[in-house]
Amino acid sequence: MKATVLAGEAAPPRWRTARREIALDRSCVVGILNVTPDSFSDGGRYPTVEAAVSAARRMAGDGAAVIDVGGESTRPGAARPGEAEEIRRVVPVVRAVAALGLAVSVDTRRAAVAAAALEAGAEIVNDVSALAGDPRMAEVVRAAGAGLVLMHMRGEPQTMDALARYGDVAAEVAAELAARRDLALAAGVPREAVVLDPGLGFAKLPEHNLALLGALDAVAALGHPVMVGPSRKRFLGAVTGRPVDQRDAATAAACVAARLRGARLFRVHDVAGVREALAVADAILAAAPRAA
Ligand code: HH2
């Protein structure tokens, strides 16, 4: 399939991680594996390492190129586990999934958790605080040569809802992400390792999430691959009236909309459905690269 570059998008077609380069000439699906008791959609679903590994295998079989393992729920108001507990949740699962040869990212705001996961075979750090959560994070990522996802948020998951005030949400999110990206580069993280994520649902009201998806080109224009994580989130319930366990069609629609505005990576629970929807979007873009 031909690579497509959208107007205003100068993203490199590859993402460098600690163990490989991930091709982004077609959409890349990142499967969510939350090993938490309290995540809003899949909390408590994988109580053993074996259950988590078989979920990872299934997602890889469905077309996930990366498995994102998280040990902390960041839904609004969630209680934070201690650092030792987060490591205890995440590391055995990371080790077992990485041993299958799959690309593993660790979803954490803590440098010690990231370091332990990277040591266990993870190759990407997905930091929802975009380096604001721990002053040692950039150095841990740099030293491991890991990929880095910088996600936009304001404040903390406990406080972020009060900070959802924007004039031009896409322009503000892009500017705030650019500042976090500059910090990462200044700390020695290579440009090719950095992916940017607008943080759907983080310090954003439903209308902010929708406006961001419609103007995602502003983030893509920063010149890094863009990841989005709309999966089963509240704003999709606000549009469709569906409860959390019935939002996979809405998730696929949001991913396709984001793909047409330049996103390349899609963090989702329902890998098979989203992979199929994105195959159609990729085919349309390949047939008419200037369509969007
Ligand atoms: N969303 C969540 C967690 N991590 N990482 C990135 N890069 N982008 C996102 O949009 C994102 C993320 C929240 O969703 P989930 O993991 O499903 O739930 P919880 O935080 O309750 O574990």
Coordinates of all heavy atoms in Angstrom, one line a residue, residues 32 34 39-40 72-75 107 126 128 149 151 197 200 202 227 229 233 267 269, ligand 1:
I32 N -5.0 -2.0 24.3 CA -4.9 -1.6 25.7 C -5.0 -2.8 26.6 O -5.9 -3.6 26.5 CB -6.2 -0.7 26.0 CG1 -6.2 0.6 25.2 CG2 -6.2 -0.3 27.5 CD1 -7.4 1.5 25.3
N34 N -5.0 -3.0 30.5 CA -4.9 -2.4 31.9 C -4.9 -3.5 32.9 O -5.9 -4.2 33.1 CB -6.1 -1.5 32.1 CG -5.9 -0.1 31.4 OD1 -4.8 0.4 31.3 ND2 -7.0 0.4 30.8
S39 N -9.8 0.3 36.2 CA -9.9 1.1 35.0 C -11.4 1.1 34.5 O -12.1 0.2 34.8 CB -9.1 0.4 33.9 OG -7.7 0.7 34.1
F40 N -11.7 2.2 33.8 CA -13.2 2.5 33.6 C -13.8 1.4 32.7 O -15.0 1.1 32.8 CB -13.4 3.9 33.1 CG -13.2 4.1 31.6 CD1 -14.2 4.0 30.7 CD2 -11.9 4.3 31.1 CE1 -14.0 4.1 29.3 CE2 -11.7 4.5 29.8 CZ -12.7 4.4 28.9
E72 N -2.1 1.8 36.4 CA -2.7 2.9 37.1 C -3.9 3.4 36.3 O -3.7 3.7 35.2 CB -1.8 4.1 37.4 CG -2.4 5.3 38.1 CD -1.7 6.6 37.9 OE1 -0.7 6.7 37.2 OE2 -2.2 7.6 38.5
S73 N -5.1 3.4 36.9 CA -6.2 4.0 36.2 C -6.1 5.5 36.3 O -5.8 6.1 37.4 CB -7.6 3.6 36.8 OG -8.6 4.3 36.2
T74 N -6.3 6.2 35.2 CA -6.2 7.6 35.2 C -7.5 8.3 34.9 O -7.6 9.4 34.5 CB -5.1 8.1 34.1 OG1 -5.4 7.4 32.9 CG2 -3.7 7.9 34.6
R75 N -8.6 7.5 35.1 CA -9.9 8.1 34.9 C -10.1 9.2 35.9 O -9.4 9.1 37.0 CB -11.0 7.0 35.0 CG -11.3 6.5 36.4 CD -12.2 5.3 36.5 NE -11.8 4.5 37.6 CZ -12.1 4.8 38.8 NH1 -12.8 5.9 39.1 NH2 -11.7 4.0 39.8
D107 N 2.4 2.2 30.2 CA 1.6 3.4 30.5 C 1.8 3.9 31.9 O 1.2 3.3 32.8 CB 0.1 3.1 30.2 CG -0.8 4.3 30.3 OD1 -0.4 5.4 30.8 OD2 -2.0 4.2 29.8
N126 N 4.6 5.3 27.6 CA 3.5 6.1 27.3 C 3.2 6.9 28.5 O 2.6 6.4 29.5 CB 2.3 5.2 26.9 CG 1.0 5.9 26.8 OD1 0.9 7.1 26.5 ND2 -0.1 5.2 26.9
V128 N 1.2 9.8 30.3 CA 0.0 10.7 30.2 C 0.3 12.0 30.8 O -0.5 13.0 30.6 CB -1.3 10.0 30.7 CG1 -1.6 8.7 30.0 CG2 -1.2 9.8 32.2
V149 N 5.6 8.4 24.2 CA 4.4 9.1 23.9 C 4.2 10.2 24.9 O 4.1 9.9 26.1 CB 3.2 8.1 24.0 CG1 1.9 8.8 23.6 CG2 3.4 6.9 23.1
M151 N 1.5 12.7 26.1 CA 0.1 13.0 26.0 C -0.3 14.3 26.7 O 0.2 14.6 27.8 CB -0.7 11.8 26.6 CG -2.2 11.8 26.2 SD -3.2 10.9 27.3 CE -3.3 12.1 28.7
D197 N 0.2 13.0 21.6 CA -1.2 12.5 21.7 C -2.0 13.7 22.4 O -1.6 14.2 23.4 CB -1.2 11.3 22.7 CG -2.6 10.6 22.9 OD1 -3.6 11.3 22.9 OD2 -2.6 9.4 23.0
L200 N -7.4 12.8 24.6 CA -8.9 12.8 24.6 C -9.4 12.4 26.0 O -8.9 11.4 26.5 CB -9.4 11.9 23.5 CG -9.0 12.3 22.1 CD1 -9.4 11.2 21.1 CD2 -9.6 13.6 21.7
F202 N -8.9 14.0 28.8 CA -8.0 14.5 29.9 C -8.1 16.0 29.9 O -7.6 16.7 29.1 CB -6.6 14.0 29.7 CG -6.3 12.6 29.9 CD1 -6.6 11.6 29.0 CD2 -5.8 12.1 31.2 CE1 -6.4 10.3 29.2 CE2 -5.6 10.8 31.4 CZ -5.9 9.8 30.4
M227 N -0.8 10.0 18.1 CA -1.6 8.9 18.6 C -2.9 9.5 19.2 O -2.9 10.6 19.7 CB -0.9 8.2 19.8 CG -1.6 7.0 20.4 SD -0.7 6.3 21.8 CE 0.6 5.4 21.0
G229 N -6.5 8.3 21.6 CA -7.1 7.2 22.5 C -8.5 7.5 22.8 O -8.8 7.8 24.0
K233 N -14.6 6.2 25.5 CA -14.6 7.3 26.5 C -15.9 8.0 26.6 O -16.8 7.9 25.7 CB -13.5 8.3 26.2 CG -12.1 7.7 26.6 CD -10.9 8.6 26.4 CE -9.7 7.9 26.9 NZ -8.4 8.6 26.6
R267 N -5.0 4.0 20.1 CA -4.9 3.2 21.4 C -6.4 2.8 21.7 O -7.2 3.6 22.1 CB -4.3 4.0 22.5 CG -4.2 3.3 23.8 CD -3.7 4.3 24.9 NE -3.6 3.6 26.1 CZ -4.6 3.5 27.0 NH1 -5.8 4.0 26.7 NH2 -4.4 2.9 28.2
H269 N -9.4 -0.6 22.9 CA -9.7 -1.9 23.5 C -10.1 -2.9 22.4 O -9.6 -4.0 22.4 CB -10.9 -1.8 24.5 CG -10.6 -0.8 25.6 ND1 -11.0 0.5 25.5 CD2 -10.1 -1.0 26.9 CE1 -10.7 1.1 26.7 NE2 -10.2 0.2 27.5
Ligands
HH2_1 N1 -6.1 7.3 27.8 C1 -6.1 6.6 29.0 C2 -4.9 6.0 29.5 N2 -3.8 6.2 28.8 N3 -2.6 7.1 26.9 C3 -2.6 7.7 25.8 N4 -1.4 7.9 25.1 N5 -3.7 8.3 25.3 C4 -4.9 8.2 25.9 O1 -5.9 8.7 25.4 C5 -5.0 7.4 27.1 C6 -3.8 6.9 27.6 C7 -7.4 6.3 29.7 O2 -8.1 5.2 29.2 P1 -8.0 3.7 29.8 O3 -6.6 3.2 29.9 O4 -8.9 2.9 29.0 O5 -8.7 3.8 31.3 P2 -8.1 4.0 32.7 O6 -7.3 5.3 32.8 O7 -9.3 4.1 33.6 O8 -7.2 2.8 33.0

